[in-house]
Amino acid sequence: MCILLLTSCGDATSISVPSAGAPSSEQSDLLGALQIGATSSPQDTGRTETPSRESAAPQESTAPPAPTATPNPTPPPTPEPTPFVPLRDNTPYCPSPVASGTVTYGNDVTTIDASNLAQGYIMANYTGTCPKVKLQIIGPDSHTSTYNLNASEFQAFPLTAGDGSYTVTVNENIQGKDYIVSYEVSLDVALDDPFSPYLSPSSYVQYNADTSAVELAAELCETAASDLDCVSAVYNYIIENIEYDYDLASQITSGALSSYIADIDATLADGKGICLDYAALMACMLRTQRIPTRLEVGYASLSYHAWVSVYLTDVGWVNGIVKFDGSSWSLMDPTFAASNSEEELKEFIGDGSNYTVRYIY
């Protein structure tokens, strides 16, 4: 047997060892030295070994292999929460009528801005000295709508009779209930959208993007799956949170009602109002949810009254705010719903014949 001996200088020396028989004392000493060199560290021998460029063949280990650690499985990623997607768009819609000045008519005290006829409205102002001025719009259906025109600032007035020829007159009071026409103009109207007059602010339904009712409507309709759900949510909120103001109602005659302008945010903050307050609040909230809504003024039986009608896709115009029992429509308006029992309400409203419309705003 031949054993490779490493010396301190790194030279390799071969030593022959007999393969059989008992080793001599010299060989035993040499084998002992080899064993020490193979199993001891440099500290054991008192010397520092310099490794050789050549190495002995590795000896096979008889020790059992160390167990291999099983890596921890990578946890599955945490799923992202599914974002809430509303079933209908409840983003407030708040167009702002403007007097663009592109097309105007008038005289020294009256200006009619007809720049936005296609959007369903005109703007008008009066700068004269007469304290009582009425603006009238006669539509192609021959229906006349009457408004107060007393402020020097421009006011918006809707064109509610669709396409066709309109006549606009400005009337100054001379005494009592007598008026004279101070200005008149004819306008040919072709609407871009037949519903635009019922989706915008106007003289009787005044609001803008900062009106509190606009944000409230968006909150109420956030989970609505349809326009009908939105109508129901707004309707239920109004009849549950707004009380009828009997004191104010006792002060308002039919003549005064025609000149009464609802303060939508005041109605919401005070929690009370008369019929025009109810109707204007509901019209604002539904219009800003893209639901065409008419504010209508007329007679409920013998009482001068205001209510709303809405347009629902696949249903059409529903006259008087509606209650749907799953199979049929019932006429209802928010004022009576808030101040009467259901039995009295249905008995009064009947099939709607008790309602007579005079003005549509």
Side-chain angles (χ1 to χ4, degrees):
M1 178 176 62
C2 181
I3 297 177
L4 186 65
L5 176 64
L6 299 180
T7 68
S8 61
C9 295
D11 294 330
T13 304
S14 296
I15 297 177
S16 295
V17 179
S19 60
S24 65
S25 60
E26 181 182 355
Q27 290 173 336
S28 296
D29 293 339
L30 180 59
L31 288 176
L34 287 175
Q35 186 175 5
I36 293 174
T39 59
S40 301
S41 64
Q43 290 79 2
D44 295 329
T45 60
R47 296 178 301 167
T48 301
E49 298 291 339
T50 302
S52 169
R53 294 179 180 274
E54 298 180 15
S55 59
Q59 299 179 359
E60 292 185 5
S61 174
T62 58
T68 303
T70 304
N72 293 328
T74 302
T78 302
E80 293 292 332
T82 303
F84 172 73
V85 180
L87 299 177
R88 63 180 295 280
D89 185 6
N90 70 323
T91 305
Y93 173 69
C94 287
S96 180
V98 293
S100 304
T102 306
V103 180
T104 61
Y105 306 92
N107 55 23
D108 58 340
V109 294
T110 298
T111 302
I112 306 296
D113 190 309
S115 306
N116 297 289
L117 297 182
Q119 281 69 53
Y121 68 90
I122 62 170
M123 303 288 287
N125 77 338
Y126 176 83
T127 58
T129 59
C130 182
K132 295 177 66 176
V133 181
K134 300 284 186 182
L135 181 141
Q136 289 188 321
I137 300 177
I138 305 172
D141 57 357
S142 299
H143 184 84
T144 301
S145 295
T146 303
Y147 305 87
N148 290 326
L149 182 62
N150 295 323
S152 60
E153 297 180 355
F154 276 96
Q155 298 171 249
F157 301 95
L159 304 170
T160 60
D163 296 346
S165 179
Y166 288 76
T167 299
V168 179
T169 65
V170 177
N171 309 274
E172 296 177 325
N173 180 259
I174 53 176
Q175 64 176 4
K177 296 182 178 180
D178 297 331
Y179 287 80
I180 60 170
V181 176
S182 67
Y183 184 74
E184 179 176 328
V185 64
S186 295
L187 305 170
D188 291 327
V189 175
L191 299 175
D192 290 342
D193 180 354
F195 297 115
S196 57
Y198 309 113
L199 291 170
S200 304
S202 64
S203 180
Y204 276 91
V205 187
Q206 298 182 4
Y207 61 88
N208 55 45
D210 296 326
T211 302
S212 299
V214 174
E215 182 179 356
L216 175 60
E219 294 174 0
L220 293 173
C221 296
E222 182 176 7
T223 59
S226 65
D227 286 350
L228 177 57
D229 287 346
C230 186
V231 171
S232 298
V234 171
Y235 172 81
N236 289 332
Y237 179 89
I238 290 178
I239 66 173
E240 291 171 4
N241 292 277
I242 308 298
E243 297 179 354
Y244 192 75
D245 192 337
Y246 288 97
D247 292 337
L248 180 59
S250 65
Q251 305 169 23
I252 303 294
T253 63
S254 61
L257 185 62
S258 63
S259 61
Y260 181 87
I261 301 298
D263 186 331
I264 290 173
D265 271 351
T267 301
L268 197 60
D270 297 341
K272 60 182 179 180
I274 62 173
C275 56
L276 260 173
D277 296 314
Y278 279 80
L281 174 58
M282 177 164 282
C284 162
M285 296 175 79
L286 295 181
R287 287 182 183 184
T288 58
Q289 284 297 301
R290 295 178 174 80
I291 300 175
T293 306
R294 297 191 305 228
L295 187 153
E296 300 172 340
V297 176
Y299 288 95
S301 187
L302 299 177
S303 300
Y304 208 58
H305 191 48
W307 61 93
V308 296
S309 295
V310 299
Y311 184 90
L312 299 176
T313 305
D314 300 328
V315 176
W317 282 105
V318 183
N319 297 318
I321 192 56
V322 298
K323 182 178 182 181
F324 188 62
D325 62 8
S327 60
S328 62
W329 301 93
S330 298
L331 291 176
M332 186 174 293
D333 76 69
T335 309
F336 284 118
S339 57
N340 294 269
S341 69
E342 185 175 356
E343 292 73 17
E344 292 172 339
L345 180 65
K346 289 186 175 180
E347 181 180 356
F348 174 82
I349 294 176
D351 59 1
S353 60
N354 284 329
Y355 283 85
T356 303
V357 178
R358 287 197 61 189
Y359 304 112
I360 298 176
Y361 302 117

